Amino acid sequence: MSNLLEVEGLDVRFAGLHALRDVSLTLAPGQIMAVIGPNGAGKTTLFNAISGYVRPSSGQVRLRGHDVARLSPHAIAEHGIRRTFQNGGLFPALTVLENVLTGLHAQTEGSLVDVILGRSRALASERAMIAKARDLLSLMQMEHMADTRAGDLSGGQQRIVEIVRTVASDPPVLLLDEPAVGLSPLARDQMMDIINRMAGEKGVGILLIEHAVELVMAGADRIMVMAAGQHIAEGTPAEIREDRAVLEAYLGHA
Amino acid sequence: MMPTQTQLLLRTLLFWAVPLLLLALPLVTNAYVQFIANSIVIFALVALGFNFVIGNLGQLAFANTALFGLGAYGSAILVNSFGLPWIVSIPLAGVAGAAGGFLASAAALRGIRLYYLAIITLAFGELMRWLYVHGKSVTGGTDGMGLPAQSLFGFSLTDDRAKFYIFLVVAVLLFKATLNILRSRVGRSVMAVRENEVATASLGIPTARIIVFAFMWSGFVVGCAGALFALHTSYVFPESFGMLHLIVSFAMVLVGGLGSVIGAVLGAAALTILPEYLRSFPGMEELFFGLIVIAVLLALPDGLASLLRKLSPIFVERYYRE
């Protein structure tokens, strides 16, 4: 099976609002697909529906052939679809290392009783996870910040820690909701570099919501365009640049 | 500043050295001071359990006093009506407290939060008190129920000095277990729910189960403390588990430091000792007590524990261990 993630006919209705209409997409391992569209197009709703925060009224979300739609958010995350949040999802009062460790929760072994009694089974697994978290931080040159409160980091550093935390468990699918928003041009490039490496080196399939058009054109393999809750176009960056429907969605009907 | 490896070792030594030194306390106390010391141990557990839900989980749940009462009455009933030795009633009182915590968590799980959760759990506490008052045949009603003299392995547990040793052992075990939890994936998840529940679920953490667990652990600790309290006063009656007790334990958590384990000890000690000193101002005790609590909270919004953290990084709480 070459498709990692298949979304088919996803429909979301809120009271009086048809937020997502019959949206389908497929994502292959190592592929970066950008989701673009004007405000209110349904991009974040699409992410919420895939990751279980919004219950789709119809449609399927298949991860390696298994339907995960309508599972709870934590169950979907445990299956391997992990996401970040537009407004940042870090735990500010916890340290950088503790934040990354929360991303390894499901991988950490030892029953609740082992934990309460401080048995070596739980402690050994904890130590292994701490070592892994430190390795991940050093890949991002952030190991010296392991014991800093996450809330004390700069905005760019927070975004990077959130991504490290999200990929710590090696999820096959990653949904990134505007990871570069509010970043300096330099930090933006770094962020895009990190995203490319995850796709290229680890084969993670990535869905990326991003407003910065130059970033999307340079970094994404494919682009999907949404407007008014619908999938209106999809193609390579070059194809999308020439697409009339896209121009209309952004500029209005001429 | 985070503690270094040497400082972490020092901290572990300190954790065990303090209770070991306290074993000598009954040698130097008189009956009055010993009674106060016993109260501090019990209230440190009450604050520890309360803190787990309001400080670590970050839920405004005020069922704490109800769970404390559940433990105290549970213990007294097990001893009086079922003839169980008091010592055996401690873990069972903990289980009763955990069951009460489970009920309280049901409200939190239904999406009831903040002020709504606060008022529902307050009502739960008053309901429990109503049960103690009206369940006369079992609880003795407003007269309460006494606990017969207890002994352990032939040693009498009527003297406060003897009680102190038992209380201390139970407290050390429960503090150690709570630290084990906080420094594990479970504790980090509890705090992650406080920080951002939506993001917590996105990491594959079953937030509902974490919330239920936090309420139950809190109830277990406080329930055990209730059993200690039953022996401590050798008498339980409804007025011990009213609004005043709740407010004082809430103040203990805040004065010690919200979310801080060592703060639970400091807050309990400070607010148990303080009224004893205020006895020399009859008629003004409550006023001074209130003013002092307000002054401490204004000067130290993060509680007495923040003073210790400033003193040495040994007291900075980390939620993992290598």
Side-chain angles (χ1 to χ4, degrees):
Chain A
M1 172 155 295
S2 66
N3 283 333
L4 185 58
L5 181 72
E6 294 171 323
V7 175
E8 209 178 288
L10 212 55
D11 233 65
V12 171
R13 288 168 192 270
F14 299 123
L17 178 73
H18 205 160
L20 222 54
R21 293 166 198 259
D22 193 25
V23 174
S24 301
L25 67 90
T26 60
L27 188 69
Q31 193 178 39
I32 301 177
M33 183 184 299
V35 181
I36 66 170
N39 287 327
K43 305 183 294 292
T44 296
T45 304
L46 172 66
F47 271 29
N48 287 342
I50 295 175
S51 55
Y53 286 94
V54 162
R55 185 176 276 260
S57 36
S58 63
Q60 285 198 318
V61 176
R62 285 190 297 270
L63 179 68
R64 295 189 179 121
H66 290 283
D67 190 10
V68 297
R70 283 167 281 272
L71 293 181
S72 63
H74 81 82
I76 293 177
E78 223 178 317
H79 273 87
I81 301 177
R82 300 247 170 155
R83 66 170 295 178
T84 63
F85 293 86
Q86 209 176 91
N87 307 319
L90 276 191
F91 309 129
L94 298 186
T95 66
V96 168
L97 183 67
E98 287 156 5
N99 264 279
V100 177
L101 285 171
T102 57
L104 291 161
H105 178 93
Q107 270 76 6
T108 317
E109 288 161 22
S111 67
L112 186 56
V113 176
D114 291 335
V115 165
I116 293 174
L117 300 180
R119 284 197 187 135
S120 54
R121 209 175 332 167
L123 295 182
S125 176
E126 274 276 316
R127 270 193 291 273
M129 291 307 140
I130 293 166
K132 183 169 183 188
R134 287 196 187 283
D135 284 348
L136 288 166
L137 285 172
S138 61
L139 281 180
M140 300 291 162
Q141 277 94 44
M142 290 194 78
E143 68 272 35
H144 60 288
M145 296 190 152
D147 287 331
T148 309
R149 274 179 82 254
D152 292 340
L153 298 177
S154 73
Q157 288 166 333
Q158 291 195 16
R159 294 262 164 198
I160 290 174
V161 173
E162 192 183 354
I163 288 192
V164 172
R165 186 182 75 180
T166 311
V167 300
S169 61
D170 298 314
V173 174
L174 204 52
L175 316 182
L176 302 175
D177 197 347
E178 298 197 41
V181 74
L183 297 192
S184 69
L186 185 69
R188 245 185 205 193
D189 290 344
Q190 271 175 340
M191 179 62 74
M192 222 37 232
D193 188 49
I194 292 168
I195 293 170
N196 277 318
R197 267 165 50 196
M198 285 188 303
E201 292 167 19
K202 293 193 163 181
V204 182
I206 298 174
L207 273 185
L208 172 71
I209 295 177
E210 188 49 71
H211 279 296
V213 177
E214 25 5 311
L215 214 68
V216 166
M217 291 293 169
D221 302 315
R222 286 183 81 74
I223 297 177
M224 165 181 161
V225 188
M226 292 183 69
Q230 282 173 302
H231 174 298
I232 60 165
E234 193 183 318
T236 63
E239 287 164 1
I240 292 299
R241 215 189 293 267
E242 307 300 328
D243 196 298
R244 266 192 67 83
V246 177
L247 287 176
E248 277 177 14
Y250 272 101
L251 304 174
H253 298 276
Chain B
M1 261 284 279
M2 295 302 276
T4 64
Q5 285 307 311
T6 330
Q7 286 168 331
L8 284 177
L9 198 67
L10 200 64
R11 186 167 72 175
T12 311
L13 281 175
L14 209 64
F15 179 88
W16 295 106
V18 169
L20 279 175
L21 284 174
L22 284 176
L23 287 178
L25 187 73
L27 303 176
V28 296
T29 54
N30 58 35
Y32 165 69
V33 173
Q34 190 58 57
F35 185 83
I36 303 297
N38 290 6
S39 300
I40 292 176
V41 176
I42 291 170
F43 276 96
L45 285 175
V46 169
L48 179 74
F50 202 1
N51 209 352
F52 202 74
V53 159
I54 58 175
N56 299 113
L57 183 67
Q59 295 290 327
L60 272 175
F62 291 109
N64 199 61
T65 295
L67 306 180
F68 184 55
L70 211 55
Y73 269 101
S75 170
I77 291 168
L78 286 169
V79 170
N80 281 316
S81 307
F82 295 87
L84 244 59
W86 170 79
I87 195 90
V88 178
S89 80
I90 302 174
L92 295 176
V95 170
F102 179 79
L103 286 181
S105 75
L109 282 185
R110 295 189 61 88
I112 297 163
R113 293 291 147 86
L114 294 170
Y115 319 113
Y116 303 94
L117 183 62
I119 203 73
I120 283 179
T121 46
L122 282 174
F124 177 55
E126 286 305 293
L127 172 76
M128 291 307 297
R129 225 160 52 84
W130 186 87
L131 284 179
Y132 305 146
V133 172
H134 294 276
K136 272 202 183 75
S137 57
V138 184
T139 64
T142 40
D143 296 338
M145 63 199 299
L147 206 70
Q150 294 292 311
S151 63
L152 183 65
F153 307 129
F155 292 98
S156 162
L157 285 181
T158 45
D159 183 69
D160 279 335
R161 293 189 172 86
K163 292 177 187 175
F164 178 73
Y165 290 113
I166 310 266
F167 293 176
L168 193 63
V169 169
V170 173
V172 167
L173 291 177
L174 289 173
F175 267 88
K176 181 63 185 149
T178 304
L179 283 170
N180 284 346
I181 293 167
L182 286 174
R183 291 171 185 161
S184 76
R185 71 179 200 282
V186 181
R188 288 189 298 269
S189 303
V190 168
M191 289 175 283
V193 166
R194 171 192 72 202
E195 300 285 301
N196 188 335
E197 190 176 340
V198 168
T200 305
S202 80
L203 301 166
I205 297 171
T207 48
R209 246 182 286 167
I210 293 290
I211 292 171
V212 172
F213 167 73
F215 272 90
M216 289 182 73
W217 180 255
S218 168
F220 182 78
V221 171
V222 174
C224 290
L228 304 190
F229 185 74
L231 184 72
H232 179 50
T233 55
S234 57
Y235 214 85
V236 288
F237 55 100
E239 283 321 299
S240 306
F241 311 106
M243 224 36 113
L244 181 68
H245 176 275
L246 180 67
I247 293 168
V248 170
S249 19
F250 191 34
M252 283 174 179
V253 171
L254 293 178
V255 165
L258 201 57
S260 164
V261 169
I262 197 159
V265 182
L266 298 176
L271 296 194
T272 307
I273 295 170
L274 181 62
E276 300 304 320
Y277 281 100
L278 293 179
R279 274 175 205 279
S280 31
F281 307 97
M284 307 288 275
E285 292 163 75
E286 286 86 357
L287 179 69
F288 285 155
F289 185 86
L291 286 176
I292 291 173
V293 167
I294 290 169
V296 171
L297 291 181
L298 285 178
L300 299 167
D302 293 323
L304 296 171
S306 65
L307 274 185
L308 280 186
R309 287 196 290 271
K310 251 173 245 168
L311 204 69
S312 163
I314 293 180
F315 299 106
V316 175
E317 291 178 33
R318 296 200 314 182
Y319 302 109
Y320 63 93
R321 57 178 158 171
E322 271 160 298

